[in-house]
Amino acid sequence: MRRNLAIYHSVLEQFCKWLSDERITRVRLLAWWVTGMYLAESVHLSKVARKLPLGAQEPSVVNRLVRWLKNPRVRIQRDYRPVVLGIVQALSRQQVRLILDCTKVGVGHRRLTVSIAYRQRAIPLAWRAYKGRKGHVSRQEQIALLREVAPRLRGAREVWVLGDSGFQTVPLIRWVRSQGWHCVIRLSQLSDVRPAGGRWQPLSAWSLAPGQTITVGWVRLTQKYNYGWLWLVLHWAKGEDEPWYLVSDQPDTCRTLRRYAIRAWTEELYGDLKGHGLDLEATHLRHADRIERLVLVAALVYTWLLTLGSWVVKRGFRAQVDRKRRRDKSYFRIGWDWLERQLAHGWPWHLRFVPYP
């Protein structure tokens, strides 16, 4: 059997189990989308269409793919829910670290994403696309997306929310703590704080040199809200252009720095979804709902290959696709190369969406 058909039938079988109440034509198109995007290593419609043996000319196949992107009956939260449940169930026994980030996507849009940190990468749990070329989205939109994820995390042992200065608002921090979660949030140097027994002052008032760390301790945040107390750490790593101004609800300087460093794992996620993998940033889509559905397909492909990579490593097969003495490849790339190797030789392969802890 041709490998595109072999992949399609395996993906379709899994999706039919997950989406048994969904119309079969939409399930089939989703399976074709996932198959084509993986084989094309791209989100471009024409490249995806060329990988699909649908018995029609390329423009006709592209039109079918576009109709799926436009279809308001494609509900992202429902279609992605089985993946989220599997991920959270697998990782909830350990510390769950949620990463908040906002990045450019499509033409004139930004994508807000909540991801879960895993093995130097971040797995998307929920996302929304908004109009706008620069900046972050409002705190109401940030809280709304976290509220969507929250019910899936009720059995988690411990939840941490990590965000850069685009997520420094007091209402967001207050909401996170109301869930019984913890946080490490980066502040801008213009943020004003008041240490215990001190006066209000901007963070830029502290003198900080490269390679230096200052533990300010408990502070209240912003004169407008007078919110606190939060633990404040100032850190300027050697070789970095800017310092970190970090607040956390827990008084531990070293762990605060280590936890915030995990936020950078989302950059690796974007590298995999963009130039290093699926070329997501090159999409020319101009509508938020269509971008969100395209991200659904990309997230399914990404999670499939990342969790497959975790299976390869767990079973002791890593040396077959990665160097023994120097580990060069991420779990995502290990999963991708392993699947390519299995398909090239006609060997059995696995369709996984649940990572090993």
Side-chain angles (χ1 to χ4, degrees):
M1 181 183 294
R2 295 166 60 182
R3 73 173 190 165
N4 49 11
L5 286 174
I7 296 172
Y8 165 73
H9 286 300
S10 295
V11 173
L12 178 62
E13 181 181 3
Q14 179 64 71
F15 288 179
C16 285
K17 293 177 182 177
W18 283 346
L19 308 173
S20 57
D21 296 333
E22 173 66 308
R23 188 171 180 176
I24 188 61
T25 54
R26 288 196 285 269
V27 178
R28 287 172 180 163
L29 269 174
L30 178 58
W32 280 125
W33 253 114
V34 170
T35 303
M37 188 178 292
Y38 161 71
L39 292 172
E41 301 184 30
S42 174
V43 300
H44 287 291
L45 289 164
S46 58
K47 293 182 179 180
V48 172
R50 291 179 201 135
K51 298 296 181 179
L52 303 180
L54 293 178
Q57 296 182 357
E58 181 180 314
S60 177
V61 177
V62 168
N63 287 336
R64 292 179 66 179
L65 297 175
V66 170
R67 284 198 297 270
W68 183 87
L69 290 176
K70 293 180 178 180
N71 193 340
R73 294 184 178 87
V74 175
R75 292 177 288 175
I76 296 170
Q77 186 177 3
R78 179 204 57 196
D79 291 355
Y80 198 60
R81 181 175 179 270
V83 175
V84 174
L85 291 177
I87 293 169
V88 171
Q89 184 176 3
L91 303 181
S92 61
R93 294 183 181 179
Q94 58 192 20
Q95 189 180 94
V96 171
R97 295 153 303 182
L98 299 179
I99 302 175
L100 304 178
D101 201 34
C102 192
T103 187
K104 177 183 177 297
V105 64
V107 178
H109 284 77
R110 295 159 294 161
R111 185 178 83 245
L112 174 66
T113 307
V114 177
S115 305
I116 188 168
Y118 177 73
R119 307 288 184 178
Q120 307 295 318
R121 288 296 188 273
I123 306 176
L125 297 182
W127 56 89
R128 288 290 182 272
Y130 302 92
K131 285 187 177 180
R133 296 179 180 273
K134 296 181 180 180
H136 285 73
V137 300
S138 71
R139 64 173 180 263
Q140 292 86 356
E141 291 160 339
Q142 296 168 359
I143 293 172
L145 194 60
L146 281 172
R147 187 174 282 119
E148 178 181 318
V149 172
R152 315 296 180 213
L153 300 172
R154 286 174 181 160
R157 183 173 63 87
E158 186 176 356
V159 179
W160 282 82
V161 175
L162 315 176
D164 63 14
S165 58
F167 302 91
Q168 65 178 332
T169 63
V170 167
L172 175 65
I173 296 174
R174 182 186 290 132
W175 185 89
V176 167
R177 296 185 70 189
S178 74
Q179 305 302 302
W181 299 351
H182 306 291
C183 65
V184 177
I185 303 294
R186 182 176 178 177
L187 305 177
S188 74
Q189 64 177 350
L190 301 178
S191 300
D192 53 324
V193 299
R194 179 173 65 83
R199 58 184 177 80
W200 290 103
Q201 55 186 312
L203 289 171
S204 58
W206 273 273
S207 178
L208 191 66
Q212 186 180 12
T213 300
I214 298 176
T215 300
V216 178
W218 295 111
V219 300
R220 300 191 74 82
L221 185 58
T222 78
Q223 295 186 56
K224 177 180 179 180
Y225 290 100
N226 191 26
Y227 179 76
W229 299 86
L230 297 170
W231 190 257
L232 175 61
V233 178
L234 317 180
H235 174 72
W236 196 341
K238 290 183 178 180
E240 294 297 325
D241 296 333
E242 298 178 338
W244 290 349
Y245 305 104
L246 306 178
V247 289
S248 175
D249 63 312
Q250 296 296 303
D252 192 318
T253 296
C254 291
R255 289 184 179 178
T256 295
L257 294 176
R258 288 199 298 268
R259 287 189 178 110
Y260 186 75
I262 291 172
R263 199 206 69 83
W265 294 4
T266 192
E267 303 300 331
E268 302 298 331
L269 161 65
Y270 293 139
D272 292 334
L273 291 180
K274 294 182 179 181
H276 300 161
L278 301 175
D279 207 20
L280 182 60
E281 85 283 7
T283 179
H284 296 154
L285 295 180
R286 298 171 179 270
H287 297 82
D289 57 340
R290 300 177 196 179
I291 292 172
E292 290 173 357
R293 295 184 190 106
L294 185 68
V295 174
L296 168 63
V297 181
L300 287 168
V301 174
Y302 175 82
T303 305
W304 167 25
L305 297 176
L306 182 68
T307 55
L308 177 59
S310 75
W311 178 89
V312 171
V313 174
K314 188 71 172 181
R315 293 300 180 94
F317 300 144
R318 182 173 190 164
Q320 296 186 32
V321 292
D322 199 6
R323 296 184 181 184
K324 292 183 179 180
R325 295 185 179 180
R326 190 182 71 190
R327 300 305 191 187
D328 291 336
K329 298 180 180 179
S330 67
Y331 276 34
F332 172 75
R333 180 48 59 179
I334 288 172
W336 197 310
D337 291 350
W338 173 268
L339 183 56
E340 287 289 297
R341 186 171 186 267
Q342 301 305 100
L343 291 170
H345 290 85
W347 295 340
W349 55 279
H350 298 267
L351 184 67
R352 292 184 56 86
F353 289 92
V354 179
Y356 280 97

